[in-house]
Amino acid sequence: YAGEILLLLAAGLWSAWLLWGSGTPSTQTVSNLGLIAVALLAAGACLLRGLRLRRGSMRHAWVLLGASCGAWGVGQAIWTIYETGLGREVPFPSWADAGYLAAVPLAVAGLLMMPAAAQSMAGLLRIILDGVMVALALFCSSWILVLGPLFDAGGDNLLSTVLSLAYPVGDVVTITMLIFALLRA
């Protein structure tokens, strides 16, 4: 339990620094480095969990979730290099976007690989319909609040417009898949 207590203490100190820090650039650096550490620790924990399992869909699910966390951590590391290391504005689009956006399909694949409880055909159909309703509700809400205005505003070019829309769409897809995975369990 010493590792868990140490990790909890480190997370508490990091959170306290962010909440009560002076707002100086060092707070931004602590935030960026902490986000890298959290993502890479989560990646390591998921990968370790997956590799401890002998075989099966649960192993693949944990490995994919670990890869998702790792991709997000790489995106955050690239962001931090620009912002903290080079001391300049992060360009948009940048390679950080590739890491952040790669996390979404990996997380979705990992959640889909999670084993499901045995279901009758009617139960499975109900879960699928519930998932579709959740996805549509989230998509409609996000279109009204975020996606529509982003689309109307446009971007400097097609790539920046697509990437601007990809982040909230990825959030909707990930939340939908998480709810779907919970319903299947």
Side-chain angles (χ1 to χ4, degrees):
Y1 293 111
E4 288 88 353
I5 291 171
L6 186 61
L7 187 58
L8 183 62
L9 180 63
L13 290 172
W14 179 67
S15 299
W17 181 280
L18 296 179
L19 288 171
W20 296 293
S22 63
T24 63
S26 65
T27 301
Q28 182 182 38
T29 301
V30 168
S31 173
N32 285 341
L33 294 175
L35 289 171
I36 294 170
V38 166
L40 295 181
L41 284 171
C46 290
L47 290 170
L48 187 61
R49 172 72 175 132
L51 295 176
R52 283 185 179 160
L53 298 170
R54 295 282 178 216
R55 56 186 134 100
S57 63
M58 189 65 106
R59 176 187 176 112
H60 299 300
W62 281 112
V63 168
L64 286 166
L65 290 173
S68 174
C69 293
W72 197 90
V74 167
Q76 184 63 38
I78 294 168
W79 178 280
T80 302
I81 289 169
Y82 276 114
E83 193 172 67
T84 303
L86 301 175
R88 62 183 201 154
E89 186 84 18
V90 181
F92 184 75
S94 74
W95 285 107
D97 296 306
Y100 291 137
L101 292 174
V104 174
L106 290 167
V108 168
L111 291 170
L112 283 173
M113 292 296 296
M114 287 283 177
Q119 297 283 334
S120 65
M121 184 57 80
L124 183 61
L125 184 60
R126 183 184 65 89
I127 289 171
I128 291 171
L129 288 174
D130 288 346
V132 168
M133 286 191 322
V134 167
L136 287 174
L138 285 171
F139 182 77
C140 288
S141 298
S142 66
W143 183 264
I144 291 167
L145 298 173
V146 178
L147 294 174
L150 270 175
F151 183 76
D152 291 340
D156 296 338
N157 55 47
L158 180 61
L159 180 60
S160 64
T161 302
V162 168
L163 285 177
S164 294
L165 292 171
Y167 282 101
V169 167
D171 292 342
V172 168
V173 169
T174 304
I175 291 168
T176 300
M177 292 310 302
L178 183 59
I179 292 169
F180 185 70
L182 290 171
L183 290 173
R184 287 178 49 212

